Amino acid sequence: MTDPVDLDAWKALSAHHDEVKDVSLRELFAADDSRFDTFQLTAAGLFLDFSKNHITTRTHELLVSLAEACDVPARFERMFTGDIVNPTEHRPALHTALRNRSGQPVMVDGQDVMSDVRAVLTRLRTFSERVRDGSWTGFTGKPITDIVNIGIGGSDLGPLMAVEALAPFAHDRLKLHFVSNVDGSHIHSALSKVDPETTMFIVASKTFTTQETLTNAHSARSWFLDSHASRADISKHFVALSTNAEAVGEFGIDTRNMFGFWDWVGGRYSLWSAIGLPIILSIGMDRFEQFLQGAHDMDMHARTAPLKENMPVTLALLTVWYNNFWQAYSHLIAPYDQYLHRFPAYLQQLTMESNGKSVHVDGSPVQAATGPVVWGEPGTNGQHAYFQLLHQGTHLIPADFIMALESLNPIGIHQELLMANCFAQSEALMMGKNRDELAKEMRAAGASDEEIERLSGHRTFAGNRPSNTLLVQQMTPHALGALIALYEHKVFVEAAIWDINPFDQWGVELGKQLAKSIHAEIAEAATVKTHDASTNGLINRALKFKNLIA
Ligand code: G6Q
């Protein structure tokens, strides 16, 4: 494989960067009245304004040439049609099949996987309707009121984020709780809020071997059995979402209470599968199907729209542009929507676990920087905290602003203010405030020339900070599905350009392995000498603190 940096398209972008890097966003807007119309896209109900970026039509063309040179359309086809796009685990990545609403087959090893997908959805519908309508009862005959999802990583972040994002559509009896951390405080805090007679536990684990999840699940089971419930009652209160029926059975969950998925569903891409059960219980199967439809509509767009008009491709190319040509290694996600408060955390896993790689698909080292650091918090809160660094700090941090135009809780002028803040921030980041503007403003407020001079360095803003703005009419299940799929495909396209595998996560495994061996040493409670001096010192200090060694 040719490293992307050796491609002519990459070199052309490098030369182009030298030409345009000193042209400001203000100048680009001043020179072109139609910039907003030129740099906008619509797909699956989402609107993207990408005009506030350091690009010209030439930049856009060169970026699209890079996507062509990296075979993005062919790579999309390989993923959509079940090719082994995750070669280190010998797997396809077919989250798109989970939301395939086209009626077309998706073949894996000569078998259409769609009938299995539909069968699980049908079982999930029947089960969730019983829990929602109260006909599924606990061991004392009462309807379920609380659902505790026990899972971590991909088996937690996606469902948690979506349940929160779609809170206005939530069932009015069922309360959802999520426990992920092995820190006992997490399960303790969930259990202190619920009643064993009316609580259902979902143990969500693809592998059903994850230490944190199994530890929390065992503690939940003990808590349940410590009430006046019997072992036979477990089947009314515990369900499993997993690919590992054997381990589910060994844990003591009736496999009739297990909803399966397949190894071609990656953890961080699994909220469309049975792992989405908390979402289904919260919003109901009909709305979950709208959520799948939103993602499918974005899939169709990603797969068929020309590269220049393709929304995930455009967002990915902009990330490559900043990451590799502007050395901007951090990317802010700022949802102006309180219900999307876990969306940045969810995207952090999606992007950083997928594209935090240093080798190409063939194992050779990459020459260019790969995935940036992704982070964020909902606006407007961020404006009163970290936005200072974006406006006046020394780092260039591209941002994505996400805004639903219509509030699901319209109260007074709240939505207008939220919107005003969203648009004001991207404008302020881009336009900044120069010395003349500041002087005019300060003079009008009665400041002397001396004072203006003294404060001008502190109170001027260089501006020229790029951003994208994504608008949606309302954050419905359909819109959320489209939004998540947009970012999934963006991550995929970035990986295609860098020629890395976005579907494995070997980095996660190392920590898991070491934690296992250190846990064995802590449990043995003898002085440890097997690690480096720092790790030995920390373990031994902890053992001394617990009076387990002298
Ligand atoms: C996601 C990762 C990882 C995984 C968790 C939980 O893509 O693989 O975050 O989801 O480690 O794994 P289990 O679902 O197997 O418990």
Side-chain angles (χ1 to χ4, degrees), residues 152-155 204-210 213 261 266-269 275 349 353 505 508 512:
I152 196 165
S155 301
S205 177
K206 179 177 169 182
T207 54
F208 227 79
T209 57
T210 304
T213 300
F261 54 110
R268 56 194 172 276
Y269 299 87
I275 289 290
Q349 179 189 27
E353 202 165 76
Q505 58 283 315
V508 180
K512 281 190 188 177

Coordinates of all heavy atoms in Angstrom, one line a residue, residues 152-155 204-210 213 261 266-269 275 349 353 505 508 512, ligand 1:
I152 N -20.1 -2.0 29.8 CA -19.0 -1.0 29.8 C -18.6 -0.8 28.4 O -18.8 -1.6 27.5 CB -17.8 -1.4 30.7 CG1 -16.9 -0.2 31.0 CG2 -17.0 -2.5 30.2 CD1 -16.0 -0.4 32.2
G153 N -17.9 0.4 28.1 CA -17.5 0.7 26.7 C -18.6 0.7 25.8 O -19.6 1.3 26.0
G154 N -18.5 -0.1 24.7 CA -19.5 -0.1 23.7 C -20.8 -0.7 24.2 O -21.9 -0.4 23.6
S155 N -20.8 -1.4 25.3 CA -22.0 -2.0 25.8 C -22.7 -1.0 26.9 O -23.6 -1.4 27.6 CB -21.7 -3.3 26.5 OG -21.2 -4.2 25.5
A204 N -25.1 -6.5 29.8 CA -24.8 -6.3 28.4 C -23.3 -6.5 28.1 O -22.5 -5.7 28.6 CB -25.2 -4.9 28.0
S205 N -23.0 -7.6 27.5 CA -21.6 -7.8 27.2 C -21.4 -8.7 26.0 O -21.9 -9.9 26.0 CB -20.9 -8.5 28.5 OG -19.6 -8.8 28.2
K206 N -20.8 -8.2 25.0 CA -20.6 -9.0 23.8 C -19.9 -10.3 24.1 O -20.3 -11.4 23.7 CB -19.9 -8.2 22.7 CG -19.6 -8.9 21.5 CD -18.9 -7.9 20.5 CE -18.4 -8.7 19.3 NZ -17.7 -7.9 18.3
T207 N -18.8 -10.2 24.8 CA -18.0 -11.4 25.1 C -18.4 -12.1 26.3 O -18.2 -13.3 26.5 CB -16.5 -11.0 25.3 OG1 -16.5 -10.0 26.4 CG2 -15.9 -10.4 24.1
F208 N -19.1 -11.5 27.2 CA -19.5 -12.0 28.5 C -18.3 -12.4 29.3 O -18.4 -13.4 30.1 CB -20.6 -13.1 28.4 CG -21.7 -12.8 29.4 CD1 -22.7 -11.9 29.1 CD2 -21.8 -13.5 30.6 CE1 -23.8 -11.7 29.9 CE2 -22.8 -13.3 31.5 CZ -23.8 -12.3 31.1
T209 N -17.2 -11.8 29.1 CA -16.0 -12.1 29.9 C -15.4 -10.8 30.5 O -14.4 -10.9 31.2 CB -14.9 -12.7 29.0 OG1 -14.6 -11.8 28.0 CG2 -15.3 -14.0 28.4
T210 N -16.0 -9.7 30.3 CA -15.4 -8.4 30.7 C -15.5 -8.3 32.2 O -16.6 -8.4 32.8 CB -16.1 -7.2 30.0 OG1 -16.1 -7.5 28.6 CG2 -15.5 -5.9 30.4
T213 N -17.9 -5.7 34.0 CA -19.3 -6.1 33.8 C -19.7 -7.3 34.7 O -20.7 -7.3 35.3 CB -19.6 -6.3 32.3 OG1 -19.3 -5.1 31.7 CG2 -21.1 -6.6 32.1
F261 N -26.3 -11.2 19.4 CA -25.9 -10.5 18.2 C -24.6 -11.2 17.7 O -24.5 -12.4 18.0 CB -25.7 -9.0 18.4 CG -24.8 -8.5 19.5 CD1 -23.6 -7.9 19.3 CD2 -25.2 -8.7 20.8 CE1 -22.8 -7.5 20.3 CE2 -24.5 -8.2 21.9 CZ -23.2 -7.7 21.6
G266 N -19.1 -4.6 16.0 CA -18.1 -4.2 16.9 C -18.8 -3.5 18.1 O -19.9 -2.9 18.0
G267 N -18.1 -3.6 19.3 CA -18.7 -3.1 20.5 C -19.2 -1.6 20.4 O -20.3 -1.3 20.7
R268 N -18.3 -0.8 19.9 CA -18.7 0.7 19.8 C -19.7 0.9 18.6 O -20.1 2.1 18.4 CB -17.5 1.5 19.7 CG -16.5 1.2 18.6 CD -15.2 1.9 18.8 NE -14.2 1.4 17.8 CZ -13.4 0.4 17.9 NH1 -13.6 -0.4 19.0 NH2 -12.5 0.0 17.0
Y269 N -20.0 -0.1 17.9 CA -21.0 0.1 16.8 C -22.2 -0.7 17.1 O -23.0 -1.1 16.2 CB -20.4 -0.4 15.4 CG -19.1 0.3 15.0 CD1 -17.9 0.0 15.5 CD2 -19.2 1.5 14.2 CE1 -16.7 0.7 15.1 CE2 -18.1 2.2 13.9 CZ -16.9 1.8 14.3 OH -15.7 2.5 14.0
I275 N -27.9 -4.8 21.9 CA -27.3 -3.9 22.9 C -28.1 -2.6 23.1 O -28.1 -1.9 24.1 CB -25.8 -3.5 22.5 CG1 -24.9 -4.8 22.7 CG2 -25.2 -2.3 23.3 CD1 -24.6 -5.2 24.1
Q349 N -15.2 7.6 22.3 CA -14.9 6.2 22.1 C -14.9 5.9 20.6 O -14.0 5.3 20.1 CB -15.9 5.3 22.9 CG -15.5 3.8 22.6 CD -16.4 2.8 23.1 OE1 -17.6 3.0 23.2 NE2 -15.9 1.6 23.3
E353 N -11.1 5.2 19.9 CA -10.8 3.8 19.9 C -10.7 3.3 18.4 O -9.9 2.4 18.1 CB -11.9 3.0 20.6 CG -11.5 1.6 21.1 CD -12.5 1.1 22.1 OE1 -13.6 0.6 21.7 OE2 -12.2 1.1 23.3
Q505 N -9.2 -2.9 18.4 CA -8.9 -2.1 19.6 C -7.9 -2.9 20.5 O -8.1 -3.1 21.6 CB -10.1 -1.7 20.4 CG -11.0 -2.8 20.9 CD -11.9 -3.4 19.8 OE1 -12.5 -2.7 19.0 NE2 -11.9 -4.8 19.7
V508 N -6.8 -1.7 24.0 CA -7.7 -1.9 25.2 C -7.3 -3.2 25.8 O -7.4 -3.3 27.1 CB -9.2 -2.0 24.7 CG1 -10.1 -2.2 25.9 CG2 -9.6 -0.7 24.0
K512 N -6.3 -4.7 30.0 CA -7.1 -5.7 30.6 C -6.2 -6.9 31.1 O -6.4 -7.4 32.2 CB -8.0 -6.3 29.5 CG -9.3 -5.5 29.2 CD -10.2 -6.3 28.3 CE -11.4 -5.5 27.8 NZ -12.3 -6.2 26.9
Ligands
G6Q1 C1 -15.7 -1.4 21.7 C2 -14.7 -2.1 22.5 C3 -15.0 -2.1 24.0 C4 -16.1 -3.1 24.4 C5 -16.0 -3.2 26.0 C6 -17.1 -4.1 26.5 O1 -15.6 -1.4 20.5 O2 -14.6 -3.4 22.0 O3 -15.4 -0.8 24.4 O4 -17.3 -2.7 24.0 O5 -14.7 -3.7 26.3 O6 -16.9 -5.4 25.9 P1 -18.0 -6.5 26.1 O7 -19.3 -6.0 25.5 O8 -17.5 -7.7 25.5 O9 -18.2 -6.6 27.6

